[in-house]
Amino acid sequence: MQKRILEGIAGLGLLAVLPACSSQKETVATENIYEVARTMSVETKQEKDSQLLSRSVTIPQLQIDAQSVYGRMITYITPDEELLPTVSVEKLDAYIDFPAGNVQINPKYGNNRAELAKLEEQLKPLLQSGNGKIKKIRITGYASPDGNTKANEQLAGNRAIQFKNYLQKQFHLPNDGLITVDWVGEDWEGLQRLIVGSDKKYSSRVLSIFQLTDDPDSRRKQIKAIDNGAVYKDIEKSFFSRLRRMELAVETESETVSVNDPQLIEKVYNQPDKVSLQDFFRVAALYRPGTEQYREIYEVAAYTYPTCKVAQLNAAAAALSQGDKESARYFFQQVNGDPRAYNNLGVLSLMDGDKENAAGYFRKYLPQNPRIARENLNYLE
């Protein structure tokens, strides 16, 4: 032990002070050397501490540290609901001709061949789409308001059912509830729209009957009385064929697009109007909140979809994280009153030097996220 200490002292250049005397004197000298070494060690530590303290004071890190603190206080919204698959509805119409009282679909009758070919051209891409899947097809049958109201309702229903059978067979669709059937019967609302959009001289007289009564038989009787039936015959010729139709509402559910697709990322920057809101969120999720890339994606999303509050809130948060207060203010204005903005409005107030206003926003944010609100209030203290 003594030897190791002496070797250490020799390293400090102190071994030369050792006197050549008796062992007792050597012991005293050795003790004195221990004291010198201890004193020097303490002084050296104090000097180093003084240098470290002096160095931390002279380096101007206040602004960097402040922005780092703000960054830890900012909150971002995870758009869980917006990431759900998107359901879109495509409306298609098929004007099918039937012999009087008949319900079977005959491709050779009337204009059916052309009409069914047009329907197939519109429906096939939806059924074969690689970007989504068919969720539901709703068929609604409509009849023109001629003849008997009750009979027309039954006719519309039976024709819609037969049209469903035709679609299942023609497109090899399963009979598992994918296709649902409904019917309206006489389409008086459709007739009213057609007459309003026409230039017929009798329009005002017919439309006044629509306002007087909702009863279909009464309407039909009064219209037939106009000009001894001439008006009704012209309506029958001009409009009834456009009311007898099958209306299809095709619901498709989009699949998640791979965010690693370079074409999608390129679209975000070069063709943002062709990028869905969901894809914006998926691309943004590739980057850590607070990074410049995250900010860029959300700013483009906010300008492309100005009514989306999630995009506006995250764009504001991202701007704050970069110290851009003015951009943050702009995006906050788009979501005025949204309680999810309170925490970050508090951070903005703190960056402005208004601690009182910041504390008020943090307290208002307590119901949204008590833990974060309390942590940020503690920062103020």
Side-chain angles (χ1 to χ4, degrees):
M1 170 91 177
Q2 179 177 328
K3 183 179 180 181
R4 286 199 302 271
I5 294 175
L6 291 174
E7 290 173 350
I9 294 172
L12 295 172
L14 296 175
L15 196 55
V17 302
L18 285 173
C21 52
S22 65
S23 61
Q24 182 179 357
K25 289 183 179 179
E26 286 179 2
T27 303
V28 174
T30 302
E31 290 174 353
N32 290 338
I33 289 170
Y34 294 159
E35 180 62 25
V36 171
R38 187 188 65 79
T39 302
M40 290 190 65
S41 177
V42 172
E43 289 175 351
T44 301
K45 181 177 184 301
Q46 289 176 344
E47 183 180 354
K48 288 182 177 179
D49 289 346
S50 176
Q51 290 174 352
L52 288 172
L53 180 62
S54 181
R55 188 157 51 243
S56 67
V57 169
T58 56
I59 294 177
Q61 290 183 331
L62 181 60
Q63 183 63 35
I64 297 174
D65 290 343
Q67 189 59 45
S68 176
V69 171
Y70 297 145
R72 290 194 295 270
M73 299 172 75
I74 295 169
T75 55
Y76 300 85
I77 296 175
T78 302
D80 294 330
E81 293 183 3
E82 286 80 1
L83 291 176
L84 293 174
T86 305
V87 176
S88 58
V89 180
E90 187 83 16
K91 292 284 185 73
L92 308 175
D93 288 320
Y95 295 89
I96 308 299
D97 292 325
F98 295 92
N102 198 291
V103 298
Q104 297 297 323
I105 308 296
N106 184 355
K108 298 180 180 180
Y109 183 78
N111 193 45
N112 287 349
R113 189 181 300 279
E115 197 67 20
L116 291 172
K118 183 185 74 174
L119 176 64
E120 181 174 352
E121 184 180 350
Q122 295 172 326
L123 188 57
K124 241 181 180 177
L126 297 175
L127 296 173
Q128 298 175 349
S129 173
N131 296 324
K133 59 181 180 179
I134 298 292
K135 188 178 181 182
K136 185 182 293 185
I137 300 176
R138 298 194 307 270
I139 297 174
T140 305
Y142 292 86
S144 58
D146 56 336
N148 179 275
T149 299
K150 187 175 181 179
N152 283 336
E153 186 173 342
Q154 293 176 346
L155 201 60
N158 289 329
R159 287 173 175 174
I161 293 171
Q162 291 302 317
F163 187 69
K164 171 192 172 183
N165 295 337
Y166 170 83
L167 288 183
Q168 287 178 330
K169 182 178 179 181
Q170 184 72 14
F171 296 99
H172 308 289
L173 299 175
N175 188 19
D176 59 357
L178 175 69
I179 305 178
T180 61
V181 174
D182 199 357
W183 55 90
V184 172
E186 298 177 345
D187 188 11
W188 287 97
E189 290 184 7
L191 177 60
Q192 185 174 4
R193 287 194 300 269
L194 291 174
I195 293 176
V196 168
S198 72
D199 57 357
K200 299 292 185 181
K201 294 181 180 179
Y202 54 73
S203 295
S204 59
R205 288 185 290 171
V206 173
L207 293 175
S208 65
I209 295 174
F210 278 82
Q211 295 175 351
L212 288 174
T213 178
D214 293 328
D215 180 69
D217 291 324
S218 178
R219 282 179 174 177
R220 191 163 27 242
K221 182 178 179 180
Q222 292 185 54
I223 294 173
K224 285 183 175 182
I226 300 176
D227 295 344
N228 297 319
V231 169
Y232 184 84
K233 287 182 179 180
D234 187 76
I235 290 175
E236 186 177 31
K237 178 182 177 182
S238 302
F239 304 119
F240 278 7
S241 62
R242 295 156 67 182
L243 298 175
R244 306 184 192 109
R245 69 193 187 281
M246 300 295 164
E247 187 177 273
L248 286 76
V250 184
E251 292 185 9
T252 57
E253 184 177 270
S254 65
E255 295 178 346
T256 302
V257 178
S258 172
V259 292
N260 294 321
D261 182 0
Q263 291 183 347
L264 173 61
I265 298 175
E266 184 181 348
K267 273 187 178 181
V268 166
Y269 288 99
N270 299 324
Q271 296 177 299
D273 56 313
K274 296 183 179 180
V275 178
S276 71
L277 187 59
Q278 290 72 24
D279 285 341
F280 266 114
F281 292 148
R282 293 186 181 104
V283 172
L286 291 174
Y287 305 105
R288 181 172 56 84
T291 60
E292 184 61 29
Q293 296 95 330
Y294 183 93
R295 176 187 179 173
E296 288 176 352
I297 299 299
Y298 265 109
E299 282 197 348
V300 176
Y303 287 120
T304 307
Y305 294 93
T307 61
C308 176
K309 291 188 176 182
V310 171
Q312 303 297 326
L313 289 168
N314 279 347
L320 282 181
S321 71
Q322 300 293 317
D324 186 351
K325 297 190 293 183
E326 297 314 308
S327 292
R329 283 187 227 280
Y330 170 80
F331 293 120
F332 281 133
Q333 289 174 358
Q334 313 309 309
V335 293
N336 187 29
D338 193 308
R340 294 174 293 181
Y342 290 153
N343 178 74
N344 292 343
L345 283 168
V347 176
L348 177 59
S349 297
L350 190 58
M351 293 172 73
D352 287 336
D354 191 345
K355 293 178 65 175
E356 184 178 350
N357 199 38
Y361 275 121
F362 293 147
R363 292 190 188 97
K364 290 171 70 174
Y365 190 65
L366 277 165
Q368 299 290 318
N369 194 319
R371 181 183 62 80
I372 290 178
R374 279 193 291 266
E375 286 179 358
N376 288 350
L377 284 169
N378 289 336
Y379 276 125
L380 295 181
E381 298 175 1

